[in-house]
Amino acid sequence: MALTVLRRYPFVTRMAAELFNSGALSNVEDIEIEPEFGHTTRIRYTGGRVRMTRGNDVGLNSGAACEVVRDKAFTRYFLQLQGVTCARGQSFLLNWWADLLRPRAGVLGPELLRTVDQMLPYIREQLRMPVYVKPVDGSKGQNIWCCRTEQEVVAALDGYERERVKVALVEQDVALPDYRLVVLDGELISAYERRPLQVEGDGVGTIAELVGRLQLAFRADQRDTVLTPGDRRIAARLAANGLTWDSVPAAGVRVRLHDISNLSAGGTAVEYTDTVCERWRLLAIDICAQFGLRFGGVDLACSDLTAPDGDYAVLEVNASPGLDHYGSVGATQAQIVRRLYARVLNTIP
């Protein structure tokens, strides 16, 4: 019987239903979808095996592996232990969280808790502006701040304190192109450059109006990115370039709106799957293997993904790389994503 899904359901749920309805999942007997939100599914395979999915998590990786790479500080530790280059940085406890932990610090001693009060001295001594400040457990580029002054660092940390973020990570800006490499069962199946959100001026429309048009285009492509004139990070990026929401870019002038490159934040993808150099392919495969990930995404800052030489730094590892935005870039990407999920969901656990 064909599955019925709603457009508001998460991408993985919709993709699973589409593949099942088309007969592309030969090993799947049935898929049961929690109907209210569509956030979770239970996949029943021939022979009686069962797999659960949740959001972007397709159920291939262990829970522990997912939790480890979800924490950017733990990820940094194990990457560096593996000899992988990471952006220079350090994690710090927010004060409200450190206050809760101090009575339980035990034999280590409460003085060993590294708090955000030490972040600015660390930046002055070890890093240089600009830096990126981010929650260690964030995703989709949310709540990441590019800070060009100490005042901006303080403002970001004050916001985290109010929002009850537990741990913040500060990292040196890596001024290299940003790529994502996606690995499935020891094979690189996708590689693309992620370029930050930008608009192109026409000499007439304000930046706010150009962003509004881009939002309409996103909706037409079924991208769930929400762009608003109230986005403080976009305002900060514009201000750093002497612009405001009311500025009118000249025709053909491209204006970068975000300091992050995440596709979920409106970034665009440029395909590199067929041209990625062997060095970076093997690096991504090895990183996923070292974290025990059958399915994973490696975010890599690299001078040239097609060449074996050059500077690089691994930025993050993702155990549930969402490919919905990537799949909306074009027909080639949509086909890659469809083949990927057919392979993933047809694999008997």
Side-chain angles (χ1 to χ4, degrees), residues 47-227:
R49 301 297 294 272
V50 170
R51 187 204 297 184
M52 305 296 294
T53 73
R54 182 177 184 273
N56 284 332
D57 188 345
V58 295
L60 277 182
N61 299 320
S62 73
C66 290
E67 287 300 311
V68 169
V69 298
R70 188 170 182 267
D71 188 300
K72 297 174 178 61
F74 291 156
T75 302
R76 284 177 55 86
Y77 170 78
F78 286 107
L79 284 171
Q80 291 173 325
L81 195 65
Q82 190 180 338
V84 174
T85 301
C86 300
R88 294 185 64 189
Q90 185 61 272
S91 61
F92 299 84
L93 302 182
L94 272 296
N95 284 316
W96 77 271
W97 182 239
D99 289 343
L100 290 178
L101 292 180
R102 283 191 181 94
R104 293 178 275 170
V107 295
L108 293 178
E111 70 279 359
L112 295 182
L113 297 178
R114 187 172 57 248
T115 71
V116 292
D117 293 335
Q118 300 165 269
M119 184 180 285
L120 283 179
Y122 170 77
I123 292 173
R124 294 183 194 120
E125 295 170 10
Q126 302 292 331
L127 306 180
R128 66 181 185 278
M129 295 292 183
V131 295
Y132 281 85
V133 180
K134 60 185 77 173
V136 296
D137 59 352
S139 63
K140 297 184 177 182
Q142 296 173 349
N143 223 353
I144 295 177
W145 291 91
C146 179
C147 300
R148 297 171 177 83
T149 67
E150 292 189 0
Q151 291 78 9
E152 290 177 342
V153 173
V154 172
L157 296 178
D158 286 346
Y160 291 169
E161 194 78 30
R162 291 191 301 270
E163 296 156 12
R164 285 299 192 254
V165 171
K166 293 180 179 179
V167 186
L169 176 66
V170 61
E171 289 183 327
Q172 179 72 61
D173 176 34
V174 180
L176 296 172
D178 182 343
Y179 301 92
R180 169 162 287 184
L181 291 82
V182 182
V183 173
L184 174 63
D185 283 335
E187 177 185 345
L188 181 75
I189 52 88
S190 176
Y192 53 92
E193 181 183 355
R194 304 188 301 175
R195 295 183 178 176
L197 173 69
Q198 62 179 357
V199 292
E200 182 174 337
D202 59 6
V204 177
T206 66
I207 291 176
E209 290 168 341
L210 295 172
V211 168
R213 296 174 203 168
L214 188 58
Q215 180 70 80
L216 293 176
F218 283 168
R219 288 175 184 164
D221 292 335
Q222 298 187 26
R223 290 183 65 169
D224 61 5
T225 301
V226 177
L227 307 175

Side-chain angles (χ1 to χ4, degrees), residues 263-274:
L263 300 191
S264 55
T268 57
V270 178
E271 187 62 31
Y272 275 85
T273 303
D274 295 331

Side-chain angles (χ1 to χ4, degrees), residues 239-261:
N241 290 303
L243 300 171
T244 71
W245 286 101
D246 295 323
S247 298
V248 178
V253 172
R254 294 183 178 273
V255 179
R256 179 172 168 174
L257 301 178
H258 256 313
D259 289 303
I260 59 174
S261 302

